[in-house]
Amino acid sequence: MSLGPEQIQAIIKKVVERAASQGAGDLPVQKTSPYFGRHGIFTDLDRAVEAAKEAQVVWASLRLDKKKQIISKLRSRLRECLNWMSKEAVAETGLGRVDDKVKKNLLVIDKTPGPEILTPEVFTGDDGLALMEYAPFGVIGAITPTTNSTETIINNGISIISAGNAVVFNPHPSAKKVCAKTVDTMNRVIVENGGPDNVITVVQDPTIESAKELMKHPGIRLLVVTGGPGVVKEAMASGKKVIAAGPGNPPVVVDETADLIRAAKDIIAGASLDNNIVCIVEKEIIAVDCIADELMKLMQAFGAYRLSTEQTRRLEKVVVDGKYPNKKFVGKNANVILKEIGVPAGDDLRLIFAEVAEDHPFVQNELLMPVVGFVRTPNVSKAIEMAKRVEHGYGHTAVMHSRNIDHLHQMAKVINTSIFVKNAPSYAGLGMGGEGYTSFTIASPTGEGMTTARHFSRVRRCTLKDYFRIV
Ligand code: NAD
């Protein structure tokens, strides 16, 4: 049900009066918890949606330059929070590396596009003018992962509010504290700079059940989910419009023309980012036979640990649980994992790899830990075919190292992923050391790819007959 102009004005008046009487840091009397309604943190989903709905009306009514100014202030404040966000995310989730989280958080703070990406489109001709504008949906529900906890809150948050929406987050339960603190910080900046409170809200104690409730909530106009296959399947069945960013298993192919020194360094850097928990990073290496030994030697020379056949057998029993990764080792440092088979190593060890066959779990499954399989193939065509098979049709991300334009072209055509990176670490595809904006919600199942404010907008057309083709 859409609101009429009088109702909108009444809500704006109420919220503005309340803000004026309370001041920036002094919020409403708490109802059910010390956090109720405070800078976006709610114990109750209905209230989180209700408050976001109220805030969205005011937020959407602000001038565009005001919204841009607030988003710029958000970026500045979040930059000051990099250390605590990264440390607390590692401490709470038990996943990843603080230094890498600093890099990932900085990336989303700096390179998530704001309202400037919403450039209108114009058609003029003999019949006059048509203008296409990006309008908000209203309140968007966002379900976020544990692997990129604060990164997804910041990235989705900036993208969604840039389009004039409000957002209700249901973060992963194992990242709830750091996500709530990030939401609190973002709301404070908005309020301090003249915007309404609760443009970004969060469920204080999120669960799978509250995620399901959010998916069905009548106040939610659009859903964005970032996670594994379970949440994608559930969201698709919700009956709402969904932007779904699901799992991946990105292969990296190395052919005989590649700069092998660069390939070895780039694969180690990409595959070890945040201990391999990032969905876009290299999860298995496929190398053509004639350079496979050389590539493995170079990877060892640049600090990766190569498992022997016997060590591979033992480690597999530890880190793989049937078909799935053993959760105990997801996102852990490589030396912690190696210790399980009695191999001592320092904290600075970034990556473990093992030569295995295509059907090995180190190749077939998204392990989300710094352990990757290495497979050899007779030639580049076979390598590309294998990459296609082990990517399992997710259409997520793939990488190739080659200096042969025909090979690169063949891989690009066959692999058909949302992101394809050539001659760089995978994360260049996120704009980290590569061109272009970033996104931490790469929607392959629903086709949006690297999501931005554009995807959180309704496109509206305004037509003027016969006028304003001014030439
Ligand atoms: P996860 O699927 O366990 O959880 C993601 C979110 O979904 C959490 O908030 C969780 O509470 C919720 N959830 C999980 N199952 C649900 C269900 N059945 N119903 C309702 N909600 C449910 O994933 P994770 O461990 O947090 O993250 C890792 C996974 O996410 C990997 O598969 C990774 O590839 C994927 N991922 C994808 C992207 C992308 O942009 N495509 C980005 C990050 C992570």
Side-chain angles (χ1 to χ4, degrees):
M1 189 191 71
S2 60
L3 301 172
E6 280 169 16
Q7 287 164 297
I8 292 175
Q9 282 311 318
I11 293 175
I12 293 174
K13 191 162 171 273
K14 195 170 88 184
V15 175
V16 170
E17 280 171 4
R18 191 197 298 161
S21 69
Q22 285 158 354
D26 181 18
L27 283 143
V29 176
Q30 307 307 302
K31 295 186 184 166
T32 54
S33 99
Y35 291 113
F36 175 78
R38 178 166 286 196
H39 300 312
I41 304 173
F42 288 82
T43 49
D44 178 271
L45 176 66
D46 286 333
R47 285 176 167 171
V49 176
E50 191 189 312
K53 192 171 168 189
E54 207 173 72
Q56 191 269 331
V57 177
V58 183
W59 174 248
S61 75
L62 294 183
R63 285 174 58 85
L64 190 53
D65 56 5
K66 183 76 182 164
K67 288 199 205 82
K68 285 183 178 165
Q69 184 210 353
I70 292 177
I71 287 165
S72 159
K73 297 274 186 195
L74 261 181
R75 296 187 204 271
S76 309
R77 177 71 58 81
L78 288 167
R79 260 180 233 122
E80 292 164 16
C81 302
L82 279 171
N83 279 334
W84 70 252
M85 276 192 308
S86 307
K87 278 188 192 149
E88 290 179 26
V90 172
E92 186 178 357
T93 63
L95 311 179
R97 289 174 174 262
V98 174
D99 289 355
D100 290 1
K101 292 222 187 277
V102 168
K103 289 184 199 153
K104 287 164 63 190
N105 279 305
L106 188 59
L107 178 69
V108 289
I109 292 168
D110 286 347
K111 292 188 92 174
T112 300
E116 72 287 348
I117 200 156
L118 303 175
T119 37
E121 210 179 340
V122 175
F123 301 88
T124 66
D126 296 335
D127 287 324
L129 172 141
L131 167 68
M132 313 280 283
E133 285 273 26
Y134 292 96
F137 273 99
V139 182
I140 293 180
I143 296 170
T144 59
T146 183
T147 48
N148 307 319
S149 54
T150 56
E151 298 90 330
T152 313
I153 298 282
I154 297 168
N155 173 252
N156 283 184
I158 293 177
S159 292
I160 290 172
I161 70 168
S162 288
N165 305 289
V167 53
V168 180
F169 280 112
N170 194 92
H172 195 287
S174 67
K176 64 182 180 184
K177 289 189 201 139
V178 72
C179 289
K181 196 166 161 184
T182 306
V183 165
D184 172 276
T185 305
M186 293 173 85
N187 275 296
R188 280 174 199 270
V189 178
I190 296 171
V191 173
E192 282 164 19
N193 289 281
D197 201 12
N198 301 324
V199 177
I200 303 172
T201 67
V202 65
V203 180
Q204 187 179 282
D205 288 307
T207 58
I208 299 272
E209 282 319 305
S210 64
K212 288 183 181 169
E213 279 173 43
L214 184 67
M215 289 179 187
K216 297 266 155 69
H217 200 289
I220 297 295
R221 180 72 172 76
L222 164 70
L223 274 176
V224 51
V225 303
T226 309
V231 69
V232 170
K233 192 168 166 221
E234 195 76 32
M236 298 282 220
S238 69
K240 288 194 196 295
K241 177 176 163 64
V242 178
I243 295 178
N249 192 36
V252 47
V253 168
V254 187
D255 78 4
E256 65 282 10
T257 71
D259 173 342
L260 293 182
I261 292 178
R262 185 171 170 177
K265 284 183 181 169
D266 287 356
I267 292 169
I268 295 171
S272 68
L273 180 70
D274 217 13
N275 289 340
N276 198 265
I277 55 177
V278 189
C279 58
I280 58 102
V281 305
E282 296 85 344
K283 299 278 190 296
E284 61 278 340
I285 305 160
I286 303 169
V288 298
D289 191 30
C290 60
I291 53 89
D293 290 322
E294 179 66 13
L295 181 63
M296 283 193 276
K297 274 193 203 132
L298 284 166
M299 286 181 64
Q300 286 177 277
F302 293 126
Y305 186 88
R306 181 178 174 183
L307 297 170
S308 67
T309 311
E310 172 55 20
Q311 286 172 332
T312 306
R313 244 180 255 125
R314 283 166 50 214
L315 196 73
E316 180 190 333
K317 291 202 183 87
V318 175
V319 298
V320 184
D321 187 3
K323 224 180 121 197
Y324 299 100
N326 179 346
K327 285 217 162 119
K328 193 175 154 199
F329 298 102
V330 167
K332 293 294 180 285
N333 285 4
N335 64 328
V336 172
I337 294 172
L338 268 190
K339 200 171 164 211
E340 293 292 315
I341 55 164
V343 178
D347 241 7
D348 55 343
L349 177 69
R350 301 273 315 184
L351 189 70
I352 303 164
F353 72 98
E355 186 174 354
V356 290
E358 181 185 343
D359 62 358
H360 195 274
F362 289 0
V363 174
Q364 292 292 326
N365 303 326
E366 185 190 38
L367 292 187
L368 303 165
M369 60 183 83
V371 179
V372 295
F374 186 113
V375 200
R376 64 174 84 214
T377 56
N379 56 50
V380 73
S381 295
K382 297 272 182 218
I384 293 170
E385 284 166 21
M386 188 187 291
K388 180 78 182 165
R389 286 193 298 272
V390 302
E391 210 270 330
H392 302 307
Y394 291 130
H396 198 298
T397 299
V399 183
M400 186 173 195
H401 290 270
S402 170
R403 285 182 286 199
N404 180 307
I405 201 155
D406 290 326
H407 296 175
L408 291 166
H409 182 75
Q410 190 189 351
M411 172 90 173
K413 293 270 272 191
V414 170
I415 201 73
N416 196 15
T417 44
S418 296
I419 301 177
F420 176 40
V421 177
K422 300 179 271 302
N423 299 326
S426 51
Y427 51 67
L430 292 184
M432 190 190 272
E435 285 304 321
Y437 56 77
T438 202
S439 175
F440 269 54
T441 292
I442 299 126
S444 300
T446 48
E448 293 80 2
M450 307 264 298
T451 52
T452 70
R454 276 195 213 127
H455 305 105
F456 303 114
S457 303
R458 295 165 54 228
V459 182
R460 293 178 52 201
R461 173 180 283 206
C462 200
T463 298
L464 177 64
K465 174 71 178 156
D466 293 339
Y467 285 92
F468 285 113
R469 175 173 162 82
I470 56 166
V471 289

